RNA sequence: UGACCCAUAGUGUAAUGGCAACACUACUGAUUUUGAUUCAGUCAUUUAUGGUUCGAAUCCAUAUGGGUCAACCA
């Protein structure tokens, strides 16, 4: 209830305001949005923002959202990407009303082109790409008309038909809109509508050898689907004039384009071209490498859909350039994981502890799966005379306010007993080999009558049945906030320590881990099973560390 | 050297002519069988200058700064 109120009270973003106004004035009874990926790469965190926006709008207001693949360039697009995109959108928690492809509309688009030709608003140009570039002018100089601009309607029709019929080689001719070569907006200087590409299309096969350009497909597809609010990023602002020109001259359903600023996140890149480079040049293991900002990478890393949706919600939408701190993404992640992750104990860099006064063969203790979740239940953990603790949880010479184990100092073993360090055992070279401790029998977790107060609680594992696991510790992929803004190649700034593979000794309960489980290795971080994990070699990914105030203090001093 | 877009704490978003708000980060402190979580507190004269107005982050003008536009990519 209180959450609902909070939602209602939250102010609208500029797109929601536009929509609310459109609904209020009766311009629309309901709205239609679309998420329009090109199937030439995997979706990344930037797309998640667009997905949440487009689908979120039609959850908030009456209407629906289509998934439409912008597949007008057969040489770069593949079915593999279509499938991954669908999987990612679903995983994020959204369902589209209609699944469409721009290629579904190739016949309509061809007819639209004919209509423009018939109205004297499009012509076939025989210029080469180089000639066209010269005639196009520059942002500060007007362009010049092509000599083919004045062809007759009949000739244009004939030539365009022959283009379609495959009578010309690639690149030899284009169909262009006849607008204004002097136009201040470069996109209005007779933009190319169709180009010849004798290429196999992932859906239409070899039916076509001419393919429409983005500007002659996107807005038209919007219009065919009666999309009311076509939302795209700011770099398309100059395209809007052409978008509107085509809709007006084609006399088709008037969809409208609105632009927002794409979200940038520091310490990563979100450009398909750059991500593709990271994959093909093997800087990462693949599109779903847990260091990648792709949806599939984040998924494998252990991010939850909820945390990503929450992140997109929190960063909002506006029109100004931005660089969002990846720390916010991690905050959203931790917030969700804290509530759902199963607590487990794993020791990474073990040091043996012998509990000298523990006489029993061992016992089974109990620990809550998640102290944040009353319904999370408890699990068994075995305890005995020999255990491992983290070697950096012990210091022979402890500084002030060190709450961990040190000679003569007491700590609690999580869900077990309070122990005191009596003796430090070393080898001939002076390296610590084990610690001899004594335990307080009355301090057993849950039935503590010792009245001893300790400041520190350590995680530990039972030496006898600890399971060795592999842990992949991931860190940010880049060393600088904005790799594309630095001198030289962005790849020069890749963090060489973005992956560290370490060993861990886990409590046996982790053998039951499933791919969808989320764990918190107590006092360490959040982890999940990796898809490469097998029964006799468990592999975990570190999703994100726990916040570490102690470490921060240490670094300051 | 044109056109267009943008400018509010370190970061991201609010305030729609009337007390600059929320979240993250950072810093203090409390609680804690995770140095986590949780809780409490601290951190801005809204890019600049001028104008309109009883009153401006908001409207106007100019400047400054950042971004976009010259693919047969999307």
């Amino acid at each position: 209830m209180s959450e609902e109120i909070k939602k209602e009270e939250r102010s609208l973003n500029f797109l929601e305001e536009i929509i609310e106004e459109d609904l209020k004035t009766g311009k629309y009874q309901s709205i239609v949005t679309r998420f329009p990926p090109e199937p030439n790469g995997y979706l990344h965190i930037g797309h998640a923002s667009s997905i949440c926006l487009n689908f979120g709008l039609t959850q908030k207001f009456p209407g629906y959202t289509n998934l439409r693949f912008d597949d007008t360039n057969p040489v770069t697009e593949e079915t593999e990407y279509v499938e991954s995109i669908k999987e990612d959108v679903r995983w994020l928690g959204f369902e589209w009303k209609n699944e469409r492809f721009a290629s579904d509309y190739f016949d309509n688009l061809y007819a639209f082109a004919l209509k423009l030709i018939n109205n004297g608003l499009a012509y076939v140009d025989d210029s080469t790409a180089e000639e066209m570039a010269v005639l196009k002018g520059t942002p500060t100089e007007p362009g010049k008309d092509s000599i083919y601009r004045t062809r007759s309607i009949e000739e244009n029709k004939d030539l365009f038909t022959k283009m379609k019929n495959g009578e010309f080689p690639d690149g030899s001719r284009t169909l262009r809109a006849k607008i204004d070569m002097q136009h201040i907006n470069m996109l209005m200087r007779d933009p190319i509508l169709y180009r010849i590409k004798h290429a196999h299309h992932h859906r239409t096969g070899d039916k076509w050898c001419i393919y429409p350009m983005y500007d002659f497909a996107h807005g038209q597809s919007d219009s065919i689907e009666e999309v009311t609010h076509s939302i795209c990023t700011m770099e398309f602002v100059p395209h809007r004039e052409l978008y509107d020109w085509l809709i007006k001259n084609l006399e088709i359903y008037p969809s409208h384009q609105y632009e927002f600023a794409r979200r940038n996140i520091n310490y990563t890149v979100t450009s398909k071209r750059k991500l593709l480079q990271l994959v093909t040049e093997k800087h990462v293991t693949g599109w779903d490498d847990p260091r990648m900002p792709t949806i599939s990478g984040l998924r494998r890393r252990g991010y939850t859909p909820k945390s990503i949706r929450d992140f997109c919600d929190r960063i909002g939408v506006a029109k100004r350039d931005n660089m969002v701190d990846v720390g916010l993404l991690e905050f959203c992640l931790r917030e969700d994981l804290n509530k759902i992750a199963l607590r487990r104990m794993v020791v990474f860099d073990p040091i043996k502890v012998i509990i000298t006064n523990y006489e029993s063969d061992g016992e089974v203790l109990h620990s809550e799966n998640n102290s944040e979740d009353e319904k999370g239940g408890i699990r068994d953990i075995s305890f005995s005379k020999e255990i491992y603790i983290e070697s950096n949880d012990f210091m022979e010479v402890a500084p002030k306010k060190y709450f961990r184990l040190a000679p003569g100092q007491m700590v609690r073993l999580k869900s077990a007993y309070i122990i005191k360090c009596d003796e430090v055992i070393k080898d001939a070279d002076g390296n610590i080999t084990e610690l001899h401790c004594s335990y307080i029998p009355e301090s057993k977790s849950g039935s503590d009558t010792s009245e001893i107060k300790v400041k520190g609680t350590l995680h530990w594992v039972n030496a006898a049945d600890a399971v060795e696991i592999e842990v992949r510790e991931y860190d940010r992929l880049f060393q600088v906030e904005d790799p594309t803004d630095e001198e030289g190649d962005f790849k020069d700034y890749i963090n060489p320590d973005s992956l560290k593979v370490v060993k861990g000794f886990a409590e046996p309960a982790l053998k039951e881990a499933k791919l969808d489980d989320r764990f918190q290795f107590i006092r360490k971080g959040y982890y999940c099973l990796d898809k490469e994990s097998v029964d006799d070699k468990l592999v975990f990914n570190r999703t994100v560390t726990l916040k570490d105030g102690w470490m921060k203090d240490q670094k300051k001093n």
Side-chain angles (χ1 to χ4, degrees):
Chain A
M1 186 60 167
S2 68
E3 203 162 313
E4 274 174 39
I5 290 169
K6 224 187 279 172
K7 266 182 194 161
E8 276 172 28
E9 279 176 356
R10 232 184 61 178
S11 54
L12 302 177
N13 65 46
F14 78 98
L15 291 166
E16 293 167 338
E17 279 181 5
I18 289 167
I19 290 168
E20 191 162 80
E21 184 66 15
D22 287 345
L23 258 16
K24 206 194 303 174
T25 60
K27 182 174 177 183
Y28 304 112
Q29 256 59 57
S30 66
I31 61 165
V32 180
T33 61
R34 99 272 90 114
F35 174 60
E38 182 189 9
N40 69 345
Y42 283 71
L43 259 29
H44 55 67
I45 183 73
H47 293 112
S49 195
S50 172
I51 290 167
C52 291
L53 217 204
N54 278 295
F55 284 92
L57 251 14
T58 55
Q59 286 175 346
K60 182 163 191 152
F61 299 102
Y64 61 83
T65 302
N66 286 346
L67 175 63
R68 187 179 69 237
F69 293 94
D70 240 333
D71 57 348
T72 57
N73 186 359
V75 302
T76 57
E77 293 152 4
E78 292 170 27
T79 306
E80 175 200 348
Y81 295 122
V82 171
E83 293 310 314
S84 81
I85 288 166
K86 283 159 65 174
E87 183 188 359
D88 288 350
V89 175
R90 284 205 184 96
W91 180 77
L92 276 173
F94 298 104
E95 195 52 56
W96 48 91
K97 167 94 169 183
N98 301 115
E99 178 180 326
R100 294 286 146 79
F101 293 79
S103 54
D104 293 341
Y105 310 133
F106 280 174
D107 287 316
N108 308 250
L109 265 19
Y110 183 78
F112 288 157
L114 249 20
K115 176 166 181 169
L116 288 181
I117 292 171
N118 279 322
N119 291 344
L121 292 172
Y123 62 98
V124 172
D125 194 329
D126 303 0
S127 304
T128 64
E130 294 72 33
E131 289 165 343
M132 275 179 56
V134 171
L135 291 173
K136 187 136 194 186
T138 70
T140 52
E141 299 163 55
K144 294 187 184 71
D145 287 2
S146 160
I147 53 170
Y148 305 101
R149 197 174 198 266
T150 51
R151 286 217 251 237
S152 71
I153 288 172
E154 286 313 311
E155 191 183 2
N156 280 321
K157 263 187 351 200
D158 178 54
L159 253 15
F160 187 54
T161 307
K162 286 177 172 157
M163 275 170 66
K164 187 192 78 158
N165 291 342
E167 296 182 30
F168 306 123
D170 286 7
S172 60
R173 284 181 170 83
T174 57
L175 181 74
R176 303 178 72 180
K178 191 190 282 191
I179 305 179
D180 179 3
M181 288 305 290
Q182 259 92 263
H183 202 107
I184 199 75
N185 181 350
M186 299 268 311
L187 284 153
M188 298 295 276
R189 319 239 262 231
D190 291 10
I192 294 172
L193 269 19
Y194 266 96
R195 76 287 215 192
I196 302 171
K197 272 180 196 280
H198 291 265
H200 188 84
H201 188 278
H202 75 118
R203 298 195 84 238
T204 59
D206 296 315
K207 179 178 176 189
W208 298 89
C209 63
I210 56 170
Y211 292 95
M213 298 286 288
Y214 166 86
D215 285 305
F216 198 62
H218 198 105
Q220 289 55 50
S221 302
D222 285 342
S223 179
I224 290 166
E225 293 173 24
E226 302 200 350
V227 168
T228 55
H229 301 262
S230 177
I231 298 163
C232 61
T233 47
M234 293 292 285
E235 67 263 31
F236 290 97
V237 168
H239 292 252
R240 190 176 61 229
E241 195 170 10
L242 178 55
Y243 185 104
D244 292 340
W245 187 94
L246 285 167
I247 280 179
K248 179 173 145 248
N249 286 289
L250 256 13
E251 301 171 286
I252 54 180
Y253 180 86
S255 296
H256 291 281
Q257 176 184 299
Y258 302 89
E259 310 87 9
F260 70 98
R262 73 140 50 92
R263 321 310 314 207
N264 301 295
I265 298 177
N266 57 12
Y267 300 104
T268 192
V269 293
T270 45
S271 127
K272 272 194 212 168
R273 211 194 89 249
K274 294 193 176 73
L275 293 175
L276 180 64
Q277 256 184 81
L278 292 174
V279 173
T280 55
E281 296 172 19
K282 311 271 188 206
H283 294 103
V284 295
T285 57
W287 285 102
D288 69 344
D289 185 296
R291 290 165 293 186
M292 291 281 274
T294 49
I295 304 298
S296 51
L298 294 168
R299 178 166 58 229
R300 188 169 166 196
R301 174 85 169 248
Y303 275 75
T304 60
K306 187 178 177 202
S307 66
I308 295 173
R309 276 186 259 121
D310 183 37
F311 172 71
C312 293
D313 214 38
R314 283 171 187 262
I315 61 179
V317 47
K319 299 179 87 147
R320 60 174 141 158
D321 294 341
N322 59 79
M323 179 67 80
V324 183
D325 193 337
V326 68
L328 181 61
L329 214 206
E330 292 178 347
F331 167 82
C332 296
L333 215 211
R334 291 190 182 106
E335 187 177 54
D336 190 26
L337 256 15
N338 179 46
K339 288 188 206 120
I340 63 171
L342 301 170
R343 310 297 133 120
R344 295 291 183 262
M345 293 199 281
V346 176
V347 172
F348 287 78
D349 183 16
I351 177 169
K352 186 176 277 185
V353 171
I354 311 279
I355 301 164
T356 50
N357 62 336
Y358 188 80
E359 303 299 344
S360 153
D361 289 342
E363 65 186 300
V364 174
L365 302 173
H366 308 286
S367 189
E368 67 278 5
N369 282 320
N370 185 350
S371 50
E372 306 286 320
D373 178 6
E374 284 176 17
K375 296 189 287 277
I378 56 167
R379 72 187 186 287
D380 294 343
I381 43 176
S382 54
F383 181 81
S384 70
K385 194 180 179 79
E386 284 191 22
I387 61 164
Y388 294 122
I389 65 166
E390 210 70 69
S391 64
N392 68 6
D393 280 339
F394 173 79
M395 275 185 99
E396 199 166 9
V397 184
K400 264 184 218 150
K401 295 186 83 178
Y402 184 77
F403 305 148
R404 304 179 186 184
L405 200 60
Q409 206 158 303
M410 286 202 244
V411 294
R412 171 169 293 282
L413 295 173
K414 172 72 182 170
S415 298
Y417 299 93
I418 291 173
I419 59 168
K420 179 177 161 194
C421 178
D422 303 314
E423 198 180 350
V424 181
I425 312 297
K426 296 180 182 175
D427 64 15
D429 301 325
N431 301 310
I432 298 172
T433 53
E434 56 187 51
L435 302 173
H436 285 190
C437 297
S438 49
Y439 84 118
I440 315 294
E442 313 80 66
S443 67
K444 184 170 175 173
S445 188
S447 55
D448 186 349
T449 55
S450 71
E451 308 219 348
I452 297 171
K453 292 275 174 270
V454 292
K455 290 289 266 182
T457 299
L458 307 187
H459 61 283
W460 54 277
V461 290
N462 186 21
D465 58 13
V467 180
E468 187 176 326
I469 61 172
E470 175 178 313
V471 178
R472 298 177 181 173
E473 299 187 331
Y474 297 103
D475 199 355
R476 49 184 57 145
L477 230 198
F478 290 92
Q479 298 172 289
V480 295
E481 287 206 41
D482 185 359
T484 62
D485 195 41
E486 300 284 338
E487 287 292 314
D489 192 85
F490 78 100
K491 296 191 293 304
D492 297 343
Y493 300 92
I494 290 176
N495 176 7
D497 299 319
S498 61
L499 169 60
K500 275 188 220 152
V501 180
V502 300
K503 228 190 284 182
F505 295 89
E507 61 172 286
L510 240 17
K511 283 192 283 194
E512 315 303 321
K514 311 261 188 316
L515 234 29
D516 286 338
D517 289 339
R518 313 293 160 145
F519 299 101
Q520 184 197 101
F521 294 175
I522 290 176
R523 301 208 304 137
K524 285 295 181 183
Y526 295 100
Y527 297 78
C528 67
L529 200 65
D530 187 74
K531 66 176 188 184
E532 289 174 1
S533 188
V534 289
D535 279 351
D536 55 1
K537 189 195 171 196
L538 297 178
V539 179
F540 288 86
N541 295 318
R542 183 174 74 194
T543 307
V544 66
T545 60
L546 247 30
K547 269 208 319 199
D548 191 347
W550 171 247
M551 181 75 105
K552 214 186 286 173
D553 282 356
Q554 295 304 292
K555 276 185 187 157
K556 265 190 292 187
N557 299 334

